[in-house]
Amino acid sequence: MVPTTKNELRKLVTDTTVGMYEELTPELVRLINETKNDSSLTEAQKQDEISLHMMGYVKSCTNEIIIEVLSEILGLED
């Protein structure tokens, strides 16, 4: 669907955002659980690692959202 109004674009971005976050969440949860269970790290190091996982998650989601929305608008294939 190529949006022709701001509302259509907003819906496309919102729908893509929700889908992308849902798709990538299991990987984030896995990384967080591994970090929490890593006995070689101190609690402070665990929190630092989890923060890095979260930043990477947001960055990955943002990149994929942009790619998906632009691909939809421009009619690009994989």
Side-chain angles (χ1 to χ4, degrees), residues 7 16 22 48 65 67 73:
N7 279 340
T16 303
E22 287 176 353
D48 289 345
I65 292 162
I67 291 166
I73 291 170

Side-chain angles (χ1 to χ4, degrees), residues 56-70:
Y57 170 73
V58 171
K59 178 191 169 293
S60 294
C61 288
T62 301
N63 286 349
E64 289 302 315
I65 292 162
I66 291 168
I67 291 166
E68 289 299 317
V69 170
L70 286 175

Side-chain angles (χ1 to χ4, degrees), residues 6 8 12 14 30 33-34 40-41 50 56-57 66 72:
K6 277 188 175 181
E8 288 177 355
L12 175 60
T14 299
R30 185 188 65 73
N33 285 336
E34 284 179 7
S40 70
L41 299 174
I50 290 170
Y57 170 73
I66 291 168
E72 180 75 25

Side-chain angles (χ1 to χ4, degrees), residues 15-44:
D15 292 348
T16 303
T17 299
V18 169
M20 197 55 58
Y21 275 79
E22 287 176 353
E23 182 180 322
L24 295 178
T25 296
E27 178 67 13
L28 174 64
V29 171
R30 185 188 65 73
L31 289 170
I32 289 172
N33 285 336
E34 284 179 7
T35 301
K36 284 182 177 180
N37 294 320
D38 188 343
S39 59
S40 70
L41 299 174
T42 66
E43 286 303 314

